[in-house]
Amino acid sequence: LKKYPLTNLYLERLYTEIRLFIKEILINLDNDIIELFKDVNLILDSIKIGEGDFHNGKSTCLLSFSNDKSIYYKPRSLEVDISLLNFILSVKEVSTYFYPVKNIDKGVYGWSYPVQIDESIDIQNVKLFYEGMGVLTSLSFFLKIEDLIASNIIATGGKIALIDLENAFCLEKVFNPEFQFLVNSNLG
C-alpha cells in the first residue's frame, strides 16, 4: 500500500459502494417480497453480484433462497423490457417463437424471474428455435434492438427467452468521418 497510496482509498470507496448497493437490494427485497413470492418466510442464502450488465456502477444480481427459489435484481428500470416483450407476444405471427420472461418494473430497479430451461432436444424444437432467430433478426433490425449477445438470448424448449432488452429502440448512430483517424490509430 505504500507503493500505491491511492489503492487504500480506492478499496475503501469500493467497499462502501458495495455495502450501500447490498443495503439497497435488501431494502427493495423487503419492500417487494410478498409481491415477488407471496411468502415472507423465505431465507436469503446468497446474493451473487455481477450476474449481468453493470448500470451506474451496480450490476445485475442473483438472489437465491433456501427453498430453491431465486430471482434477479436489476438496478435499472425494466419498462423497456416489459413493453417490448409484451409487444412481441401480442403479435400472433411471432409470439409462438418467444418465451414470456416475467419481469417486474419498480421504476429505478426491477426484478426478473429466472427462465425455466427446457433442454429437451427434438427436431421440432430446433426448427422452431432457428425460425425464431430469423424472426428476432428481423425484429432487431426494425425495432433497433442492440446488445443481442449470446448471454441475452436463452433457448428453452425451442422458444427464445430475451433478457436485458434495455437496448431497444436505439437511435441511429451518426458517424463523423472527421474522427475516422481515431479508429485507425492507436488512440481509439
Side-chain angles (χ1 to χ4, degrees), residues 4 15-16 26 33-34 49 51 57 59 61 63 66 75 79 81 83 87 92 112 126 129 136 144 151 155-156 160 184:
Y4 302 104
Y15 170 77
T16 300
L26 294 175
I33 191 82
I34 293 175
I49 297 175
E51 291 295 298
S59 74
C61 300
L63 283 68
S66 57
E79 184 178 14
D81 301 60
S83 298
F87 170 72
K92 187 177 88 173
S112 186
V126 173
F129 176 78
L136 179 58
K144 306 275 189 237
S151 62
T156 179
I160 298 169
N184 296 333

Side-chain angles (χ1 to χ4, degrees), residues 60-122:
T60 298
C61 300
L62 176 62
L63 283 68
S64 299
F65 299 88
S66 57
N67 61 355
D68 292 329
K69 291 188 181 207
S70 60
I71 196 163
Y72 288 94
Y73 177 83
K74 298 196 176 191
R76 64 171 181 84
S77 171
L78 297 181
E79 184 178 14
V80 171
D81 301 60
I82 292 168
S83 298
L84 182 58
L85 190 58
N86 285 342
F87 170 72
I88 290 171
L89 293 173
S90 74
V91 179
K92 187 177 88 173
E93 292 79 10
V94 300
S95 64
T96 57
Y97 298 109
F98 294 93
Y99 176 92
V101 177
K102 185 174 179 189
N103 294 308
I104 297 175
D105 180 46
K106 292 296 191 171
V108 295
Y109 69 93
W111 302 98
S112 186
Y113 291 88
V115 173
Q116 299 302 314
I117 303 297
D118 176 359
E119 295 179 347
S120 60
I121 298 175
D122 63 45

Side-chain angles (χ1 to χ4, degrees), residues 152-171:
N152 291 346
I153 301 171
I154 299 172
T156 179
K159 294 191 177 218
I160 298 169
L162 298 172
I163 57 172
D164 269 347
L165 291 172
E166 78 266 25
N167 292 324
F169 313 114
C170 294
L171 298 174

